[in-house]
Amino acid sequence: MSLIDLLREALDGPGLLTGDDMAAWSQDWTGQFAWTPLCVARPRDTAQVSAVLKAAHGARVPVVPVSGHTGLAGGSYGEGAVMLSLDRMNAVEDIRSDARLAVVQAGVILSDLHAAAGAADLNFPMTFGARGSARIGGLLATNAGGSNVLRYGNTRDLVLGLEAVLADGRVVDLMSDLHKNNTGYDLRHLLIGSEGTLGVITRAVLKLVPQPRAYVTAMVATQTLLGALEVLNRLQDLTGGAVEAFEYMPADYLKAYADMHPGTRAPFAQDHAVNILVELGATAPRDVTPGPDGSVPLMGYLEDVLATMMEDGAVVDAVVAQNDTQRSEMWARREAAAELAYARPNVLVNDIAVALDKIGIFLEQADTVLTGIDPGARTSVVAHLGDGNVHYSVQLANPEAKNAVMEAVEDVVLSLGGSFSAEHGIGLAKRPSMARRKDPVALDMMRAIKAALDPHDILNPGKLLPE
Amino acid sequence: MSLIDLLREALDGPGLLTGDDMAAWSQDWTGQFAWTPLCVARPRDTAQVSAVLKAAHGARVPVVPVSGHTGLAGGSYGEGAVMLSLDRMNAVEDIRSDARLAVVQAGVILSDLHAAAGAADLNFPMTFGARGSARIGGLLATNAGGSNVLRYGNTRDLVLGLEAVLADGRVVDLMSDLHKNNTGYDLRHLLIGSEGTLGVITRAVLKLVPQPRAYVTAMVATQTLLGALEVLNRLQDLTGGAVEAFEYMPADYLKAYADMHPGTRAPFAQDHAVNILVELGATAPRDVTPGPDGSVPLMGYLEDVLATMMEDGAVVDAVVAQNDTQRSEMWARREAAAELAYARPNVLVNDIAVALDKIGIFLEQADTVLTGIDPGARTSVVAHLGDGNVHYSVQLANPEAKNAVMEAVEDVVLSLGGSFSAEHGIGLAKRPSMARRKDPVALDMMRAIKAALDPHDILNPGKLLPE
């Protein structure tokens, strides 16, 4: 029997797509990668995922797991491959309120999990612009970051257990719901962030946190980036770590957003160099219970910091969201980052991380080397400032300069002790960087692990690891 | 050249021990394991660790990494092996206050790190009874738990980066100081908790947290375990998660402690079934700044909860520590747990975890099955109640019943969806449990990874993985 016939047998009616029906699985969101798969398999449960892998493994045909197509590193490129789409495995199986956890299938869309947790007055504290299409399996496969990492950690920090299917179709059950479990190698953390090259994650047990009782959200403009960090540190000290997000947008970014969305208001009457979206979340009644004078403590902390720092000139402007609409406007501006970056042709996204106090140096040095290589290039910068994570996008004037720019920006990052891929992962796009920058012994270890767990290189071949 | 000669050359004078000088490396703290090593290698730096491994690898002689000898699972047993002791690599290389991290060699003693961090008004929030002798390398190798996991996570959650030496002597550099770094498989998490079977951790970058501005520590007695959990949940809600420790000691435990330490005072005038050591840590000024009536908010939260719950009878007694001496007395009682357990002959320690609300059921069912198998057995129980982690120690009347008891207790644990090794790891002691209880596909993956990274089985052979 041909592989296609085997797969058709393993899946039910709409479970196997070929020909024109594969269109949605033949490109990713960035538009930078397009391909022609062999077929698209859409299993309904773990047993079907296992059957698909067993068949493909027998035929030695590559399988590319795919989730919401929203990755930014080309991780779901699949020329000639079986695209293994988890989109029909989209059940939130359980929300256990007392234990504060969710049991989900990997195809659940992030915003659907937000809604399910919210109904129990809980939150899955991972969010980013693509939350309406990104699926949990993709979040886990890439160890997604986003805007709440500052307070709650990366995706891997929110996972108690998972289930995965290996290259040959065997199912590994790591569905622990425990906070302590030292029983051998931590295969959970090995699979998380492995970008579908070691196994296909099919289900997960995720931590939930109490829904904050209130948010205080504001746009703050400071004289300098160091002044912005001072705002962050003062707020963290005063609140004991209640800052949920601290996002940097330079003037250029706000201008690009305004150009693309002409109807929207600018955050400030005047333009400023350093604009921060800051959000505090109150998790305890003491922060939202009005004091004798009617003031809400959480708001008071922000106002105190801003007042002091405006007096000494470090903060130059500030607007506090007065309602949900204003809060949403602030977030929409920030969450348009990928849309803004990829709207331009010849764009190169650098997703880097450095120590918080080195972000200013990074931006200065990166701009200098960029001008040296491609003087006509334009940048679009946005940062999870509280994590030291900068999305430094370059619209190349000279597309030939792509690799030279990538390498030069990495040189700056590495000289500052940073990471060349903070949250987007490696996929196809950053494989040259892996070859150049990752510790060679670490690469050897990764290759040995890959060969041990997927000896025939079935799972997402050609990704993450350099040749 | 013989291996001993090679090692003598690689290490300097006191770096190699043989014969009677090996006494301290020929047994562990529990007294349950003793052995005769080939020799003891005490390298001074990573290069010497590498040289030791290269030589041993060439000779195909096993190497057992050892740190503070305080493990409870026989992980440092090393008959005929090169004991690789990290005790001379004990430098706190750097405390970076602004970045809130420490860079340490693996031989640093935990309490020395506490002191170094404390001098910068910071804390490394991992603590347990053996902190005066346990070393960081051992904490990382076993993913140690302890009494602050509730608030700050397990050891792995406190590690940003590490350096390790592989079986053949190659050094892998994963010394990241970043909070976001998605560059390939997470080898850091693979090495943490691998109990020295995949690599020898030589250095680490550790997260520090602000030293709490004040602690509120108390002994609380409740009618039932569920009542104790109600105390925990109310305190967490009221403080937004400021509970640092929530430790359970039944009446038997307090009696055993009093017998062993006749000079000490009992926590309460009367004996109670359920005794809890609770500690709150204030990380923000609002919790320690006295209000208009002079009261300190953090203390107020505890008093409010206790007052309400004493009224309805759920809490039956409570004593709040009035000073550091009283706080230390409370902690000394809890931290004597291992000393109490191992003071008895024929002891079997079960380090299990279940969901918080199942601890009562576990204890009841475990006692029942124990009585069925070994009616004369006595138990000693202590628990990190806030983590669902119970140390269920059994003094066997019939030593022959050891395996039957272990298996029966595990049956109870597994029927409740729990873990047979929550924080102590596998070592030698829990290998039968691994064979019986771990998902077989997970075991296959672990064996494949071990074979890929240490093909000659040099590193801590015979541990963690079952035959």
Side-chain angles (χ1 to χ4, degrees):
Chain A
M1 223 174 353
S2 76
L3 175 59
I4 295 283
D5 289 339
L6 281 171
L7 292 176
R8 190 165 284 125
E9 193 175 276
L11 300 157
D12 45 4
L16 190 75
L17 307 179
T18 54
D20 291 349
D21 292 341
M22 305 192 297
W25 287 271
S26 303
Q27 60 192 339
D28 70 2
W29 179 88
T30 69
Q32 296 197 334
F33 299 94
W35 59 90
T36 306
L38 174 67
C39 61
V40 178
R42 300 171 68 209
R44 282 202 304 203
D45 55 28
T46 302
Q48 289 193 348
V49 174
S50 171
V52 167
L53 276 160
K54 202 167 288 174
H57 190 262
R60 303 286 188 261
V61 170
V63 174
V64 176
V66 64
S67 192
H69 309 277
T70 60
L72 299 177
S76 61
Y77 174 87
E79 183 65 39
V82 177
M83 301 302 295
L84 179 55
S85 175
L86 281 287
D87 66 304
R88 296 203 301 163
M89 290 177 59
N90 59 357
V92 175
E93 295 180 358
D94 203 2
I95 299 282
R96 288 169 51 193
S97 298
D98 288 343
R100 289 184 179 165
L101 57 83
V103 183
V104 301
Q105 285 185 311
V108 168
I109 291 177
L110 177 54
S111 57
D112 289 343
L113 177 56
H114 288 159
D121 208 22
L122 294 167
N123 186 30
F124 180 63
M126 174 59 53
T127 190
F128 44 77
R131 64 178 171 279
S133 42
R135 295 176 192 268
I136 297 302
L139 268 73
L140 269 67
T142 59
N143 184 32
S147 296
N148 288 347
V149 172
L150 179 60
R151 184 164 201 177
Y152 300 102
N154 296 287
T155 294
R156 70 168 70 256
D157 301 308
L158 302 172
V159 181
L160 291 175
L162 53 80
E163 174 192 86
V165 183
L166 304 187
D168 60 6
R170 281 179 301 163
V171 179
V172 60
D173 177 2
L174 308 167
M175 288 289 281
S176 169
D177 58 3
L178 304 166
H179 290 261
K180 280 180 158 176
N181 186 18
N182 277 345
T183 53
Y185 306 153
D186 200 320
L187 302 173
R188 165 191 54 154
H189 279 305
L190 183 63
L191 288 164
I192 296 171
S194 68
E195 304 187 16
T197 65
L198 299 179
V200 179
I201 296 170
T202 43
R203 293 167 70 223
V205 183
L206 304 174
K207 294 185 203 172
L208 302 177
V209 300
Q211 186 83 276
R213 291 157 190 263
Y215 290 107
V216 170
T217 311
M219 288 294 304
V220 177
T222 58
Q223 281 285 2
T224 63
L225 272 172
L226 287 177
L229 289 174
E230 179 71 22
V231 173
L232 174 62
N233 291 338
R234 288 196 194 190
L235 283 173
Q236 294 289 52
D237 285 349
L238 214 50
T239 62
V243 179
E244 304 237 328
F246 202 80
E247 303 288 318
Y248 164 62
M249 290 163 275
D252 279 1
Y253 179 92
L254 295 184
K255 188 171 177 320
Y257 181 77
D259 289 349
M260 190 176 253
H261 299 90
T264 56
R265 287 182 306 180
F268 304 113
Q270 279 184 285
D271 289 351
H272 301 293
V274 179
N275 307 276
I276 305 290
L277 166 60
V278 57
E279 184 156 280
L280 298 168
T283 50
R286 62 170 181 262
D287 286 332
V288 287
T289 309
D293 62 349
S295 70
V296 175
L298 190 68
M299 185 72 90
Y301 302 134
L302 179 65
E303 287 170 349
D304 286 355
V305 169
L306 294 180
T308 316
M309 292 187 66
M310 282 181 113
E311 242 167 64
D312 67 21
V315 169
V316 292
D317 215 338
V319 184
V320 178
Q322 300 300 320
N323 51 47
D324 276 354
T325 309
Q326 291 182 7
R327 179 182 174 228
S328 298
E329 277 174 18
M330 291 183 182
W331 273 110
R333 203 182 283 129
R334 168 61 186 86
E335 293 185 334
E339 181 197 4
L340 288 181
Y342 287 97
R344 301 173 173 180
N346 299 317
V347 70
L348 170 65
V349 173
N350 293 284
D351 165 42
I352 71 100
V354 291
L356 267 61
D357 53 358
K358 292 178 181 165
I359 292 177
I361 306 171
F362 163 76
L363 289 173
E364 204 174 293
Q365 295 188 355
D367 285 349
T368 304
V369 300
L370 178 61
T371 308
I373 297 169
D374 187 6
R378 285 172 62 194
T379 62
S380 170
V381 173
V382 66
H384 304 296
L385 190 65
D387 305 320
N389 179 193
V390 184
H391 300 311
Y392 184 82
S393 301
V394 179
Q395 185 192 0
L396 299 159
N398 170 18
E400 305 287 307
K402 186 171 173 179
N403 281 328
V405 168
M406 194 154 86
E407 204 163 337
V409 170
E410 282 170 17
D411 280 339
V412 175
V413 173
L414 274 280
S415 75
L416 299 171
S419 168
F420 58 87
S421 192
E423 61 176 11
H424 294 169
I426 305 302
L428 271 183
K430 297 294 174 188
R431 281 172 84 211
S433 312
M434 277 291 268
R436 276 196 298 266
R437 309 298 181 181
K438 192 72 187 179
D439 180 76
V441 179
L443 284 177
D444 283 351
M445 289 176 75
M446 291 182 201
R447 287 194 187 98
I449 292 166
K450 170 71 174 172
L453 299 182
D454 181 13
H456 300 297
D457 204 13
I458 298 298
L459 278 171
N460 214 2
K463 311 292 168 57
L464 190 139
L465 290 166
E467 308 270 359
Chain B
M1 229 180 340
S2 76
L3 176 60
I4 295 284
D5 289 339
L6 281 171
L7 292 175
R8 191 166 282 125
E9 194 175 274
L11 301 157
D12 46 3
L16 189 76
L17 306 178
T18 54
D20 291 348
D21 293 340
M22 305 192 297
W25 286 270
S26 304
Q27 60 192 338
D28 71 1
W29 178 89
T30 69
Q32 295 198 335
F33 299 94
W35 60 90
T36 306
L38 174 67
C39 62
V40 178
R42 300 171 68 210
R44 283 202 304 203
D45 55 29
T46 302
Q48 288 193 350
V49 174
S50 171
V52 168
L53 277 161
K54 203 167 289 177
H57 191 262
R60 304 284 188 262
V61 170
V63 173
V64 176
V66 62
S67 191
H69 309 275
T70 59
L72 299 176
S76 61
Y77 174 87
E79 183 65 40
V82 177
M83 302 300 295
L84 179 56
S85 175
L86 281 287
D87 66 303
R88 296 204 303 162
M89 290 179 59
N90 60 358
V92 176
E93 295 180 358
D94 203 1
I95 300 283
R96 288 169 52 192
S97 298
D98 287 343
R100 289 184 178 164
L101 57 84
V103 183
V104 301
Q105 286 184 309
V108 168
I109 290 176
L110 178 55
S111 57
D112 290 343
L113 177 57
H114 288 159
D121 208 23
L122 294 168
N123 186 30
F124 179 63
M126 172 60 52
T127 191
F128 44 76
R131 65 180 170 277
S133 43
R135 296 177 191 269
I136 298 300
L139 268 74
L140 268 67
T142 58
N143 184 32
S147 296
N148 288 346
V149 171
L150 180 60
R151 185 165 199 175
Y152 300 104
N154 296 286
T155 294
R156 71 169 68 256
D157 301 309
L158 302 172
V159 181
L160 291 175
L162 53 79
E163 176 191 84
V165 182
L166 303 187
D168 60 5
R170 283 179 301 163
V171 179
V172 60
D173 177 2
L174 308 167
M175 288 288 279
S176 169
D177 58 3
L178 304 166
H179 290 261
K180 279 181 160 177
N181 186 18
N182 276 345
T183 53
Y185 306 154
D186 201 319
L187 302 173
R188 165 191 54 152
H189 278 304
L190 182 64
L191 289 163
I192 296 171
S194 68
E195 303 187 18
T197 64
L198 299 179
V200 180
I201 295 169
T202 44
R203 294 167 70 225
V205 183
L206 304 174
K207 294 185 204 173
L208 303 176
V209 300
Q211 185 83 273
R213 292 158 190 262
Y215 291 106
V216 169
T217 311
M219 289 294 304
V220 177
T222 59
Q223 282 284 4
T224 63
L225 273 172
L226 287 178
L229 289 175
E230 180 71 21
V231 172
L232 174 62
N233 290 339
R234 288 197 193 189
L235 283 173
Q236 293 289 52
D237 284 348
L238 216 48
T239 62
V243 180
E244 305 236 329
F246 202 81
E247 304 288 318
Y248 163 64
M249 291 163 276
D252 279 0
Y253 179 92
L254 296 183
K255 186 169 180 323
Y257 180 78
D259 290 348
M260 191 177 252
H261 299 89
T264 55
R265 287 182 304 181
F268 304 112
Q270 281 186 285
D271 289 350
H272 301 293
V274 179
N275 307 276
I276 304 291
L277 167 59
V278 57
E279 183 156 280
L280 298 168
T283 51
R286 61 169 182 259
D287 285 332
V288 288
T289 309
D293 62 348
S295 71
V296 175
L298 190 67
M299 184 73 89
Y301 303 133
L302 179 64
E303 287 170 350
D304 286 355
V305 170
L306 294 179
T308 315
M309 292 186 65
M310 282 180 112
E311 240 167 65
D312 67 21
V315 169
V316 292
D317 215 338
V319 184
V320 179
Q322 300 301 319
N323 51 47
D324 276 354
T325 309
Q326 291 182 7
R327 178 180 175 231
S328 298
E329 278 173 19
M330 290 182 184
W331 273 110
R333 202 181 285 127
R334 169 62 186 86
E335 292 185 336
E339 181 196 3
L340 289 180
Y342 286 98
R344 300 174 174 179
N346 300 318
V347 70
L348 168 65
V349 173
N350 294 284
D351 165 41
I352 70 99
V354 291
L356 267 61
D357 53 358
K358 293 179 180 164
I359 292 178
I361 306 170
F362 164 76
L363 289 172
E364 203 175 295
Q365 296 187 356
D367 285 350
T368 304
V369 300
L370 178 61
T371 307
I373 297 170
D374 186 6
R378 285 174 62 196
T379 62
S380 171
V381 172
V382 66
H384 305 294
L385 189 63
D387 306 319
N389 179 193
V390 184
H391 300 311
Y392 184 82
S393 301
V394 179
Q395 186 191 359
L396 299 158
N398 169 18
E400 305 287 308
K402 187 172 174 177
N403 282 327
V405 169
M406 195 155 86
E407 204 163 335
V409 171
E410 282 168 18
D411 280 340
V412 176
V413 172
L414 274 278
S415 75
L416 300 171
S419 169
F420 59 86
S421 192
E423 60 176 13
H424 295 170
I426 305 302
L428 271 183
K430 297 293 174 189
R431 280 172 86 210
S433 312
M434 276 291 268
R436 277 196 297 266
R437 308 298 182 181
K438 192 75 186 177
D439 180 77
V441 179
L443 284 176
D444 282 351
M445 289 177 75
M446 291 182 200
R447 287 193 186 98
I449 292 166
K450 170 71 173 173
L453 298 181
D454 180 14
H456 301 296
D457 204 12
I458 298 298
L459 279 171
N460 214 4
K463 312 291 168 58
L464 189 139
L465 291 166
E467 308 271 358

